[in-house]
Amino acid sequence: MDLPKLAIAALGGTVSMQARHVGEGVIPTVSGETLLTTVPELKNLARVTVETLGLHPSASLNFDFLLSVLHWANYQVENGATGVVITQGTDTLEETAAFFDYLWSHHAPLILTGAMRSASQVGADGPANLLDACRVALAQNSRCRGVQVVMSGQIHHANTVRKTDSLALQAFSSPLVGPVGMLVEGTVRYLREPFQRKLLPLPQQTTQAVALLESTLSADTLLLDNILELGYDGLVIAGFGAGHVSEQWADAVETIAKKIPVLIATRTGSGPTAQSSYGFTGSEMDLIRRGALMAGFLCPRKARILLWLLVGCQRQDELAFFLAQD
Ligand code: ASP
């Protein structure tokens, strides 16, 4: 039987980490090729190409590197891969997933996965997550669903998934909506229909800078007051509650929004920003009047990814369209 082609890339992260000596912390050392030996079952499912594109802790991934990974993934699909799997660190998985999803124009699935336990730990979850991710990437019903994250037997869409626990095995969730699907006895089951995604072209520039600041009680305005002078091209604020800031921050937002896009998200971790509920100084209605946009259901980190990509292709005036829920 002619098996489908599957492309896997390893970028590093806990899934590829081991301690070199007893008592030392784990660091990324395990190549994609070695990772593959932990899932011998895969040989019966696909003809696999594997590449180690990096061995980084995911905190040190950057947009330029991710664009080169995307280029690699595009090439794999254009050369016949049914699906693509990327293994990486979990710390920034929610951001890389959103980044790729805005740029992934194929019907073929792009699946991200990682592990919460290192390769040398008892009960390491990397092999099971990798096998699940491959099953999802190969499944016919995964087509036209964009970029998804597979962890702990669950499938999450890129625009909702978040790391919501620092160390637990079950570290990923999609607040409010839940996983989009799951693996049941090795088969891929979806709980919801695919939806129409909004895609962006590749950024023509990657030097733009978008700041993300969080509103905190009694915060000063030092950083805000210097955002324009520092040369930022956009600002995201993780606001209080439904997207609120203090009176002092509201004044600064007004000044900044005259020059660069300002996007207000919620720092709560779940739920949307408001549009028309509160009227006090620093509320969402006040901030909208002052020129800011509300991020809706998009979490602050994903809002920053969107704004960075839009600025990168000079389409920041389409921010409202990309934020609209339809
Ligand atoms: N704890 C992280 C992981 O799961 C480290 C990283 O993000 O690279 O891989």
Side-chain angles (χ1 to χ4, degrees):
M1 194 178 67
D2 205 13
L3 292 173
K5 255 170 108 174
L6 177 70
I8 303 176
L11 309 188
T14 297
V15 66
S16 71
M17 291 195 195
Q18 274 181 333
R20 275 197 290 222
H21 303 287
V22 182
E24 279 184 3
V26 295
I27 55 170
T29 49
V30 182
S31 69
E33 292 76 359
T34 305
L35 266 184
L36 209 57
T37 62
T38 64
V39 281
E41 303 85 333
L42 246 188
K43 278 204 284 295
N44 307 320
L45 303 179
R47 284 176 291 140
V48 178
T49 312
V50 61
E51 281 190 50
T52 306
L53 300 179
L55 280 173
H56 308 286
S58 71
S60 295
L61 297 176
N62 63 50
F63 294 143
D64 282 314
F65 176 68
L66 293 182
L67 287 171
S68 71
V69 174
L70 182 71
H71 182 71
W72 173 89
N74 282 331
Y75 177 85
Q76 302 306 316
V77 172
E78 282 150 18
N79 283 279
T82 297
V84 177
V85 172
I86 295 173
T87 65
Q88 67 152 89
T90 57
D91 288 354
T92 60
L93 200 48
E94 64 191 73
E95 286 165 86
T96 52
F99 182 89
F100 288 136
D101 193 53
Y102 284 118
L103 303 173
W104 187 248
S105 56
H106 303 283
H107 292 171
L110 174 58
I111 309 299
L112 306 187
T113 192
M116 292 304 294
R117 291 185 183 151
S118 68
S120 50
Q121 244 174 311
V122 173
D125 53 330
N129 286 339
L130 177 57
L131 184 58
D132 282 349
C134 293
R135 286 191 167 121
V136 175
L138 291 167
Q140 179 63 30
N141 55 352
S142 296
R143 294 184 68 76
C144 303
R145 287 181 178 271
V147 177
Q148 304 187 101
V149 170
V150 173
M151 291 287 291
S152 301
Q154 295 188 329
I155 310 166
H156 294 271
H157 194 265
N159 69 5
T160 57
V161 70
R162 297 190 199 176
K163 188 173 187 179
T164 46
D165 198 291
S166 56
L167 286 169
L169 205 51
Q170 182 74 49
F172 285 82
S173 60
S174 291
L176 286 185
V177 292
V180 71
M182 60 209 288
L183 285 113
V184 182
E185 298 174 319
T187 62
V188 178
R189 299 283 176 83
Y190 284 99
L191 308 167
R192 291 197 296 278
E193 291 303 313
F195 59 90
Q196 193 64 44
R197 292 156 56 232
K198 291 173 180 162
L199 293 176
L200 279 168
L202 286 174
Q204 297 134 20
Q205 58 173 67
T206 60
T207 51
Q208 66 276 21
V210 176
L212 168 54
L213 298 178
E214 180 165 313
S215 292
T216 52
L217 190 62
S218 195
D220 59 68
T221 57
L222 256 180
L223 288 171
L224 271 185
D225 289 342
N226 287 288
I227 286 283
L228 293 175
E229 202 150 311
L230 287 169
Y232 280 97
D233 304 287
L235 169 65
V236 176
I237 294 178
F240 299 113
H244 303 155
V245 302
S246 66
E247 290 175 11
Q248 295 77 5
W249 276 41
D251 289 337
V253 163
E254 184 166 356
T255 309
I256 299 164
K258 288 195 170 81
K259 301 273 186 220
I260 59 174
V262 179
L263 191 47
I264 316 287
T266 170
R267 67 173 200 169
T268 59
S270 180
T273 49
Q275 284 281 343
S276 54
S277 295
Y278 291 93
F280 60 83
T281 304
S283 69
E284 82 284 356
M285 288 177 77
D286 180 46
L287 294 174
I288 292 168
R289 262 195 308 270
R290 292 172 189 257
L293 282 167
M294 306 306 289
F297 284 91
L298 220 49
C299 79
R301 296 175 286 277
K302 292 183 200 284
R304 175 176 166 270
I305 298 284
L306 172 61
L307 186 49
W308 187 89
L309 285 169
L310 281 167
V311 174
C313 57
Q314 278 99 53
R315 284 172 62 172
Q316 52 271 46
D317 48 338
E318 292 176 40
L319 191 49
F321 166 77
F322 276 85
L323 294 169
Q325 299 284 321
D326 22 49

